[in-house]
Amino acid sequence: MMGILSAIADKVVEAVHLIPDNVDKGEEICMGADGTPTSQVDKIAENTVLTYIAANEVPLNVLSEEVGFVDNGAEDTLILDPIDGTRNCALGIPYYTISMAVSRTTMSGATHALIRNLATGDEYTAVKGEGACLNGRRIHVKDYFNPDSLTLFIYMGRSADPSAFRTAKRVKASRSLGCASLEMAAVAAGRADGFMMMSEHRGHAIRVFDIAASALVLREAGGEVYDQFGKPLDMPMDLKARSNFLAASDRRVFDWVIHGESSYSPCRLHYGIFANKNVPGIADVGRRVVAALDGESYMVDTDLAALMGVPGVPLEDMDIDVAIVMGGDGTILRAAHHTSARIFGINAGGVGFLAAVELEQLEEGIGRLRRGEYTVDRRAKIAVSVDGEWVSDAVNEALIHTDSVAKIRQFRVKVDDSLLTEVKADGFMLSTATGSTSYAMSLGAPIMDPRVGDAWLLVPIAAFRYSSRPIILPTSAKVTIEATMPEKGCLLVVDGQREIPVDGGSVIELSRSPECFRLIEMDTDFYQKVREKLVTSL
């Protein structure tokens, strides 16, 4: 099969080189089967492939960008991009290919792949289970990961998702070269750490013939292609199917790019152990954690240490990388107010929505923690100020409400200094996506998937106006809430952990904190948690 693919590529090279210099190779001459315009060079290359297959009775169907599906009665199908990098070809930039993969099922079922740079002759090949090659020599992805020196190819065209530009600012180096097959192949050859294709318009996302060949080359070189949710990408042989993706040399590249952090550490980690001392049997749970950390550097928080009979250090005084927190969500939030370390939650309390593992998974979870088998989700926090003075950051929510039971107050609420409302109510809350499954949910606000990381929920509490409803705001917004009754006090509550009396007439300012809440997760399925912890268990 590789001989057939190589012969096809030879014919395409000949055909493209025969196009006169005065012909506009990129001229759009018709509409392709995928609904996008077909250029002169695309059509010539595709016709060359179809002619070769017909003339030589090659037992392959064809799925191509321009002609669609050609049924030749064969079991296997050639997934073809006749010219990847058409614009480069038209401009004389030597970075365009013919990209071919053979499969009888889906993209992941591809058995053979060939990508040839039609300008330079460089050829990437792969056979499933036999590895990948560049010009006949075996290639492999980078065998190390360093977030401080990441090089990514990033699609940054007109339909690029804004996350692409944010990522480009964070990595050591980025390139956008206009030829997905070669950009992914460069990752396979160890020349870059990943290739990111995120489009904000579904109609401009990647198609199966764009990456079927390069996906096999990358996977055979030791890398992986993930969808935007972190699952290995597969695509049907269907021109209508489109997907965003991140091709990476290492899973930690995906975690760092998508979640903002990975489990990578160039040195030994230091752990802190913190718990809700009121949980029955918590000292024994603490001993299990210590046993599971055997050989690691750790410290135990003062309250738990007293129960265990060992030396202790207050959590806020620990210089640690990871805080292992045993308890419920309240305990995790309390820990977040005393340390900036990553938090690994073990549910020994109630709902445990923020916990990475349940109590019965303790040893397994800490084993994975020690091996770096986890992701770190960076969650936005709210900076809370009173009359211009910062008082705290909130992980879940910041709440201002009446300091007397059943006594209503008058509030003036502004967003970015623009008046939103003046209303009588028991109070107002600004919630993060993290807090949307907590108090905000109880007040009737929507649950937000934590991947919606750039939004707040502004929620009125028992407002004396029917039109007062929760509103979703960008995290870039500044929210000011003024208690406009000078003689009537209020109470500011942050994450249910801090209660701060507020005089009437005070102005509460809420904005995005420069710090973030770093939550360790393992095999997290947000919707499974919603179903099990919020729907069926409460």
Side-chain angles (χ1 to χ4, degrees):
M1 183 57 71
M2 293 306 303
I4 293 172
L5 297 184
S6 183
I8 291 173
D10 289 341
K11 291 298 182 181
V12 170
V13 170
E14 293 174 11
V16 170
H17 286 174
L18 286 174
I19 302 175
D21 290 339
N22 63 347
V23 172
D24 181 4
K25 297 177 182 177
E27 179 187 2
E28 296 176 359
I29 59 174
C30 62
M31 190 65 66
D34 68 335
T36 61
T38 297
S39 70
Q40 182 87 262
V41 69
D42 285 309
K43 196 60 181 174
I44 290 172
E46 183 182 74
N47 286 344
T48 300
V49 175
L50 296 175
T51 299
Y52 181 92
I53 288 175
N56 292 275
E57 298 181 347
V58 177
L60 288 173
N61 305 318
V62 178
L63 180 71
S64 178
E65 178 179 16
E66 320 307 336
V67 75
F69 183 72
V70 178
D71 188 353
N72 291 323
E75 291 185 340
D76 294 317
T77 295
L78 178 68
I79 307 173
L80 169 70
D81 191 350
I83 300 290
D84 181 19
T86 301
R87 179 58 59 185
N88 288 344
C89 178
L91 295 174
I93 299 171
Y95 210 75
Y96 54 96
T97 72
I98 177 172
S99 175
M100 297 177 285
V102 177
S103 175
R104 64 179 55 177
T105 54
T106 65
M107 184 182 82
S108 293
T111 57
H112 297 76
L114 184 146
I115 302 165
R116 184 182 293 181
N117 185 326
L118 299 179
T120 67
D122 288 329
E123 186 171 271
Y124 293 86
T125 57
V127 178
K128 194 165 190 175
E130 297 182 13
C133 295
L134 167 58
N135 297 331
R137 300 184 65 178
R138 291 292 292 269
I139 56 174
H140 197 276
V141 296
K142 286 185 177 182
D143 57 4
Y144 63 90
F145 167 72
N146 185 347
D148 296 326
S149 62
L150 287 184
T151 297
L152 291 187
F153 292 105
I154 305 175
Y155 167 69
M156 300 178 70
R158 61 182 180 181
S159 65
D161 188 86
S163 64
F165 302 97
R166 293 195 296 267
T167 300
K169 291 181 179 180
R170 292 171 50 227
V171 298
K172 179 72 172 180
S174 65
R175 297 290 184 271
S176 181
L177 302 181
C179 181
S181 59
L182 283 181
E183 289 167 296
M184 283 180 65
V187 179
R191 295 170 177 168
D193 297 278
F195 171 50
M196 177 180 177
M197 168 66 192
M198 297 290 176
S199 172
E200 63 180 345
H201 302 297
R202 182 183 178 279
H204 293 136
I206 212 78
R207 299 153 299 186
V208 65
F209 49 78
D210 293 315
I211 62 166
S214 49
L216 180 59
V217 170
L218 178 62
R219 284 167 171 162
E220 287 298 313
E224 185 54 271
V225 187
Y226 300 99
D227 66 19
Q228 64 196 93
F229 308 117
K231 296 180 180 179
L233 178 66
D234 195 10
M235 298 184 74
M237 288 193 282
D238 182 346
L239 293 181
K240 295 181 180 179
R242 292 179 179 264
S243 180
N244 287 329
F245 73 93
L246 195 156
S249 59
D250 190 293
R251 171 70 196 208
R252 291 171 295 181
V253 174
F254 176 89
D255 294 337
W256 193 91
V257 171
I258 301 301
H259 299 296
E261 191 165 348
S262 79
S263 58
Y264 166 82
S265 178
C267 57
R268 187 181 181 190
L269 296 180
H270 300 281
Y271 298 91
I273 305 173
F274 182 81
N276 180 351
K277 65 178 181 178
N278 297 316
V279 172
I282 196 64
D284 289 336
V285 178
R287 294 185 185 99
R288 287 174 60 189
V289 171
V290 168
L293 287 173
D294 182 44
E296 300 286 356
S297 171
Y298 66 86
M299 290 180 278
V300 182
D301 179 68
T302 306
D303 289 341
L304 178 61
L307 296 175
M308 294 172 61
V310 298
V313 178
L315 179 62
E316 56 267 30
D317 294 336
M318 295 181 186
D319 182 10
I320 56 174
D321 303 292
V322 176
I324 299 173
V325 181
M326 299 166 288
D329 292 324
T331 308
I332 291 175
L333 291 173
R334 187 159 65 254
H337 280 258
H338 292 287
T339 182
S340 60
R342 308 170 189 173
I343 291 182
F344 174 73
I346 300 172
N347 183 24
V351 177
F353 202 88
L354 298 176
V357 297
E358 299 298 315
L359 194 56
E360 58 269 22
Q361 301 167 314
L362 186 153
E363 284 79 11
E364 177 191 356
I366 291 182
R368 294 183 62 186
L369 182 68
R370 295 177 64 175
R371 294 190 297 271
E373 297 173 0
Y374 57 86
T375 60
V376 183
D377 195 1
R378 298 170 67 93
R379 307 278 186 92
K381 297 200 294 187
I382 302 168
V384 184
S385 300
V386 179
D387 293 332
E389 183 178 348
W390 176 87
V391 294
S392 182
D393 278 357
V395 173
N396 260 12
E397 72 276 315
L399 166 71
I400 180 171
H401 65 80
T402 172
D403 61 359
S404 302
V405 176
K407 295 295 183 180
I408 202 166
R409 297 286 186 265
Q410 180 82 23
F411 296 96
R412 179 182 297 124
V413 182
K414 295 181 179 179
V415 178
D416 291 331
D417 299 321
S418 179
L419 181 63
L420 173 66
T421 187
E422 289 190 81
V423 65
K424 290 183 178 180
D426 283 0
F428 274 86
M429 170 198 294
L430 189 68
S431 169
T432 65
T434 304
S436 72
T437 52
S438 185
Y439 198 169
M441 179 186 72
S442 300
L443 292 171
I447 291 175
M448 284 202 295
D449 187 316
R451 289 173 298 184
V452 184
D454 293 326
W456 304 136
L457 287 168
L458 181 60
V459 188
I461 304 171
F464 195 65
R465 181 178 296 159
Y466 187 75
S467 60
S468 291
R469 293 289 182 267
I471 183 171
I472 297 174
L473 305 173
T475 58
S476 58
K478 178 185 70 175
V479 177
T480 54
I481 303 172
E482 181 180 357
T484 57
M485 296 179 172
E487 72 285 0
K488 304 288 186 179
C490 290
L491 194 65
L492 173 64
V493 183
V494 179
D495 287 340
Q497 304 298 315
R498 293 193 61 187
E499 295 186 357
I500 305 165
V502 176
D503 295 332
S506 295
V507 176
I508 313 300
E509 184 175 290
L510 308 170
S511 59
R512 181 164 184 159
S513 170
E515 305 295 328
C516 63
F517 171 49
R518 300 189 297 164
L519 185 67
I520 288 176
E521 296 185 334
M522 293 180 176
D523 305 324
T524 299
D525 184 330
F526 176 74
Y527 297 100
Q528 181 180 349
K529 281 191 172 184
V530 169
R531 186 173 64 254
E532 293 179 353
K533 295 179 178 291
L534 301 183
V535 176
T536 60
S537 66
L538 297 181

